[in-house]
Structures are given as structure tokens and as C-alpha cells.
Amino acid sequence: MVTLAPLAYIAASVLFILALRGLSHPETARQGLNFGMIGMALAIVTTLLLPQVGGTFWILLAIAIGGSIGTYIAKTIDMTELPQLMAGFHSLVGLAAVCVAAAAFYHPEAYGIGTKSDIKFASMVEMSLGLAIGAITFTGSIIAWAKLEGRMSGKPITFEGQHAMNAILGIALLLLIAILCITESSFIFWIVALLSMAIGVLIIIPIGGADMPVIVSMLNSYSGWAAAGIGFTLHNNLLIITGALVGASGAILSYIMCKGMNRSFISVILGGFGGEQAAGGNDDHGDRNAKIGSAEDAAYIMKNASKVIIIPGYGMAVAQAQHALREMADMLKHEGVDVTYAIHPVAGRMPGHMNVLLAEANVPYDEVFEMEDINREFAQADVAYVIGANDITNPAAKNDSTSPIYGMPILDVEKAKTVLFVKRSLGSGYAGIDNPLFFGDNTMMLLDDAKKMTEDIIKALE
């Protein structure tokens, strides 16, 4: 088995690469998941059959317990809770990296990296980096989960001198890692772990709700690099490859997300963004008046339109309105209306959130377009049907230099002849920023639960 293990690990690595390729498009996502599961099963079986691996019973018991919990969560989780689920799982990866680093530090003989107080220097460096990144990922992901779950405020938490303190703590962490590698002190080991956990909290709390999709993506990258660092400590090539794949793909996705939000990639890595206080996030709209419409009004307008573009957002996810939305779109297409969907890179609260929901409702893939492919079509559209997508349609990103989202590319829905905006109220969105689109001359607000309003439109179309 020792001679076959490298070949099995290579095969598993290829399957992981195919999984990432499949997950890059909704149409091949299921195939990608199958490749990933097969690759992971092959990796686990190969590892268990290695002669140096003991305690097989306990490993299998842990897999059974973890697998049962994972299966239960997968079957019961709502689609709206996927972002916080992702953040929660990232925290577990970070915690696992911390635990493996501790095990290797206290029992280096079991990992072939030396003896107690005489660990190989290279292994200490790898172990320390895995420990630090894992600890940052652990607490950072918990804060992200708490913000997404509503257990703590989604608004930025800032204080004077925050960035300077983060910089000082970062430098102190690097110095402590160097000291740990030289002294192999147990006390310094846990100081590194605790300081890293503190940094994980401090770099995430200033992140506002509108920036959460980028943070979820970046934490995914952190978890991959933590796994890769521990892979070096364990001399496990597959863990190194898998961690690097996750880390690199997460970083690339984060870069794409940053471009979609006009954010600095380096600032995201360092946690140095998102601290701006949202302006105008209240219900006092002054002298502005919004036109309030009904389901019958919306049905009449869309039925007589030639081209309708649907813009889904988190409001659709909360209401679980994707199935009703697809039914409404099918009825409009039956009337000869051209219906397409426009997806912003950060719609929802995690990358690909809207794509997943639309795929669940069996929306044809060829009707779903990314922002850069459809933005120019809004000027020719008769109707833009915005269903719970607030911040990604906010014109303040283009014409209000004082807005926290200024410079963020948005969907140009205001260029459509008529904008039908489905929202529970005229209040600000998740980022806490008022949307002047609500009061546009060509905007009609449909104030109700997204699913109920869409179902009422379906009845009116009938």
C-alpha cells in the first residue's frame, strides 16, 4: 500500500481539480460535487490503509459521528442559511488546524518531525504558520457566522486607532512565531494561538454587511492555506495539494468579488476595509415620495412588456420565492415576453448564492447572466423586476461620493423603462444605506413579502 498510496493521492488530487472545475458553472456543479466526494473517499481510504496510521476504530467512529451531523445539517438547512453554514464550516477547518498543530507540537515523534524540544526547524515554521492561520480562520469565521446569523450586529464595529492596533498585533505575531520556532516554548505556542484568535476577531468586526460575501470567500481561502500548512507538518502531499487548491481558488474568487465591489484586495486580506459607517440608514425620507403599486399593476405592466429582466437578491432568498419567481417567468414567456435574469457578483451573502437558488428552482442556465454580460441591456428593457436586491442596485454607488458603497459596480436597473421593486418596506438594506431608486420617477414599489407578492402577480396574470 505504501507504493500505491502516492498514485492514489494523485488520483484524488485530479478528482479535486475536476471538482473545482465542475463547481465553476451551475450546469456542471452536481458533477463537480460527485468528483469531490469520490476524491475525498479515495483519500480517506488510502490514508487509513497506510501502515503507520493507527487507531482506525477511533478514526472511523469520528468519521461516523461527523458524517451523521453533516448529513443532518445538509438535509435540514434552509437555502437562506447557506452563507452562515459556510462560515461555520470554515471555523471548524481552522480549529482542526490548531488541534493538529498542537498534537504535532506535543508529540512530534508520532509525525516523524523530531522529538520533544528538538523539532525540525522547517517543521516548526510550517506548524507555526498552520497554527496562526488556523486560529485566525477559527475566530474570524465565528464572527462572520454571528453577523450573518443575526447573533451580532451586521454594522461595522470600529474604534479609534483600530488599524494601527491591528498592524502592531500582526507584527507582534510574526515576532512570536520566530521566537516559537527558535525556542519551541509551550508558553509561546499558546500565546501565538491566542493572539491569532484575537486578530481573527479584530479583522472581521469592522466588516459591514454589504461586504460579507467577500469575507466568506476570503475565509474560505484562509482555511485552505491553514490546511496546506498542516499538510507540510504531517508530510501529507494530498493535504498540501488540497489546501493549496482551496486557498488559491478562494483567493481568486475573493479577487473577483473585490473587483465586483470596487474594493482593494490587499485591504481585504488585512481586514482594513468595511469600517465606514453607512449614511442615511433610517426610515426618514424627507419630502421624497415613492409610488406604491399592487400585484395587479405589476402583472399588467409585465404582461404588456417585450423584455423583462429579473434581478434576484437576498430578499428572494429569505422569502424562498425562487419557485414562484420561475413560475411567473414561465407565464410571461408563454405570453411572448423575453425574460432573463441578472446576477450581481455579490448578490445575497455569499458568492453564487443567487445562482444556487435559481438552479434549485430549475431556471434554465441560458437565461441567467452575470452583471458584465447584461448590464448594457437594461436601457432596452421594458421592465426591471427587482426582488429583494437593494444594495447592488443602489445608484448612490455611482453618484454619491459620500456613500460607503461609492465606486461599487451595480446593476443599472434605473435605466429600464419601468422598475418594479419588491421589498417589505422603504427601509434601508442589509448595508444600512438608503436607496434613492425607491423614489425614482420610473420606479413602482411593491411592498410585501417577496414570495407573497410574486404569487399575487401570478394570480393576476392568470
Side-chain angles (χ1 to χ4, degrees):
M1 187 63 204
V2 175
T3 56
L4 293 176
L7 294 176
Y9 280 162
I10 291 173
S13 300
V14 171
L15 287 168
F16 291 147
I17 293 171
L18 292 174
L20 284 175
R21 176 175 179 145
L23 291 171
S24 65
H25 193 279
E27 196 168 0
T28 57
R30 188 180 296 275
Q31 184 184 61
L33 285 173
N34 290 334
F35 281 136
M37 289 187 291
I38 294 171
M40 184 56 67
L42 177 60
I44 292 172
V45 171
T46 301
T47 302
L48 290 176
L49 293 178
L50 292 174
Q52 64 266 36
V53 175
T56 304
F57 169 77
W58 296 108
I59 295 173
L60 291 175
L61 179 62
I63 291 174
I65 295 173
S68 299
I69 295 173
T71 301
Y72 173 77
I73 292 174
K75 287 183 174 295
T76 57
I77 193 77
D78 291 331
M79 283 292 183
T80 52
E81 298 175 345
L82 282 179
Q84 46 265 54
L85 176 66
M86 289 281 289
F89 281 175
H90 292 157
S91 73
L92 296 179
V93 175
L95 181 60
V98 172
C99 292
V100 173
F105 180 74
Y106 284 101
H107 300 283
E109 302 89 350
Y111 298 90
I113 58 175
T115 59
K116 184 64 177 172
S117 301
D118 188 25
I119 301 174
K120 297 175 184 178
F121 184 78
S123 297
M124 277 302 305
V125 173
E126 297 155 2
M127 182 195 308
S128 301
L129 291 175
L131 169 68
I133 298 173
I136 291 172
T137 304
F138 172 55
T139 52
S141 298
I142 289 177
I143 297 299
W145 170 84
K147 282 176 171 277
L148 291 166
E149 184 70 13
R151 301 298 177 91
M152 66 181 294
S153 173
K155 295 181 179 180
I157 300 174
T158 61
F159 51 86
E160 188 176 351
Q162 187 171 35
H163 296 316
M165 188 180 75
N166 286 349
I168 292 171
L169 291 178
I171 294 171
L173 178 61
L174 293 176
L175 291 175
L176 286 170
I177 288 175
I179 294 172
L180 175 61
C181 293
I182 296 171
T183 64
E184 299 183 24
S185 165
S186 298
F187 176 74
I188 298 296
F189 179 93
W190 290 110
I191 291 297
V192 167
L194 292 174
L195 182 57
S196 299
M197 290 182 183
I199 291 174
V201 173
L202 291 170
I203 65 175
I204 302 301
I205 58 173
I207 308 303
D211 298 320
M212 268 299 137
V214 185
I215 289 305
V216 171
S217 176
M218 184 52 67
L219 288 170
N220 178 55
S221 180
Y222 286 171
S223 69
W225 297 123
I230 295 302
F232 280 105
T233 301
L234 301 178
H235 300 296
N236 188 301
N237 292 332
L238 181 62
L239 191 54
I240 295 170
I241 293 171
T242 305
L245 285 172
V246 174
S249 61
I252 292 170
L253 180 58
S254 298
Y255 176 74
I256 294 172
M257 303 287 283
C258 286
K259 286 184 64 179
M261 298 183 69
N262 194 37
R263 297 296 192 187
S264 166
F265 182 66
I266 299 301
S267 294
V268 173
I269 295 175
L270 299 178
F273 80 110
E276 308 91 340
Q277 291 296 333
N282 56 62
D283 295 327
D284 183 11
H285 304 295
D287 297 330
R288 297 177 297 177
N289 292 311
K291 288 188 291 186
I292 310 300
S294 65
E296 290 74 17
D297 297 329
Y300 177 81
I301 292 171
M302 285 194 284
K303 189 173 183 179
N304 289 279
S306 297
K307 183 177 182 63
V308 173
I309 301 178
I310 297 172
I311 302 90
Y314 191 68
M316 181 193 76
V318 171
Q320 291 288 285
Q322 61 269 26
H323 296 282
L325 186 65
R326 193 217 66 215
E327 184 180 352
M328 183 191 79
D330 288 344
M331 294 182 69
L332 291 174
K333 287 188 288 184
H334 183 72
E335 296 290 335
V337 181
D338 178 20
V339 179
T340 53
Y341 298 78
I343 306 294
H344 191 280
V346 294
R349 295 186 186 173
M350 62 175 276
H353 198 178
M354 296 301 105
N355 300 80
V356 171
L357 293 173
L358 294 179
E360 183 198 18
N362 295 317
V363 172
Y365 300 121
D366 59 358
E367 295 178 6
V368 181
F369 295 90
E370 300 298 325
M371 179 177 66
E372 61 270 18
D373 297 322
I374 199 170
N375 236 6
R376 66 180 68 89
E377 296 186 25
F378 281 105
Q380 287 78 47
D382 296 296
V383 177
Y385 185 76
V386 185
I387 179 165
N390 194 343
D391 303 315
I392 60 172
T393 62
N394 194 332
K398 295 188 295 183
N399 52 38
D400 183 1
S401 60
T402 64
S403 173
I405 62 171
Y406 181 69
M408 182 180 89
I410 63 167
L411 291 163
D412 296 329
V413 297
E414 76 278 6
K415 294 182 179 180
K417 292 179 182 177
T418 301
V419 178
L420 300 176
F421 209 120
V422 183
K423 200 172 180 294
R424 289 180 181 271
S425 71
L426 295 176
S428 57
Y430 186 59
I433 305 167
D434 280 343
N435 192 341
L437 180 64
F438 297 168
F439 311 98
D441 293 336
N442 61 334
T443 300
M444 178 182 290
M445 298 300 298
L446 306 173
L447 302 181
D448 207 337
D449 173 81
K451 184 178 181 180
K452 183 178 183 303
M453 175 57 70
T454 305
E455 290 176 341
D456 288 344
I457 292 174
I458 291 171
K459 294 176 182 177
L461 287 171
E462 292 174 341

